[in-house]
Amino acid sequence: MSELNLLPLLGIVIVVFGFALRFNPLLVVCVAGLATGWAVNIDFISLLETFGEKFMNSRQLASFLLILPVIALLERYGLQQRAKSWVASIKSATTSRILSVYFIVRECSAALGLLSLAGQPQTVRPLLAPMALGAAANMHGTLPKHIQDLISAHAAACDNIAVFFGEDIFIAFGAVLLMDAFLKENGIAGIEPLHIGLWAIPTAIAALIVHLFRLARLEAKIHHLMNEFNQSSTVEMSEELS
């Protein structure tokens, strides 16, 4: 039996230590790739060709970087303030209703494969969270910091949970194809991506029901926390006056 060669694992060690020491991630990954290529005796020119080929094949993954300056520019000119003021003009809008509608739309769009239709940087932070905060402020007045953080956290959770359970219904999603390949490699026949997508539907429906129930309770929790905050503020003011 030939001796096991552990040198190709050198790249993993470099990645772990590089990230732990908080070096530039791009530099760490490049050094790890070069070290791994050296360990498996790939010549330098071929290694550079591999780097270039993989970059060209996955260059569309970096397209999300173009969104960030656009969002920053919109926020600079008052996107969040406009979202808050627009929601404040709708008397029937509540935090739980806004988040519930977004959750339903996000999960359904993820099930259709439209994962980039919304997201944390392009929708939750500049639009959804300010709208939810505006609805709460419209009902309860100025919100303290801990309640603002609670609402913002629920807005972020809406996006994460909806995408997590909705994307598995889309049969061309990478994780679904990975599960299908894993099952076939291990001799489990008769399972197709369509079957995995269909079995993901009950889970997605259950997640929808559970999370809508949590969002319905959120409105009552905000009301309770605001009452506690107002009572404590009243007590503090009376103590200062006395």
Side-chain angles (χ1 to χ4, degrees), residues 76-88:
R76 172 67 176 80
Y77 287 94
L79 177 62
Q80 292 191 7
Q81 289 73 16
R82 291 297 302 170
K84 286 182 180 180
S85 61
W86 177 68
V87 170

Side-chain angles (χ1 to χ4, degrees), residues 224-240:
H224 176 69
L225 292 175
M226 283 300 301
N227 287 338
E228 288 185 347
F229 176 75
N230 292 331
Q231 289 175 4
S232 62
S233 300
T234 303
V235 171
E236 289 177 1
M237 290 180 60
S238 61
E239 289 177 354
E240 290 178 359

Side-chain angles (χ1 to χ4, degrees), residues 180 183-184 187-196 199:
D180 177 61
L183 293 173
K184 289 180 178 178
I188 302 176
I191 303 296
E192 299 296 333
L194 179 60
H195 301 148
I196 299 174
W199 278 105

Side-chain angles (χ1 to χ4, degrees), residues 16 64 72 78 82 126 147 184 223 241:
V16 171
F64 78 96
R82 291 297 302 170
I147 297 181
K184 289 180 178 178
H223 183 73
L241 292 175

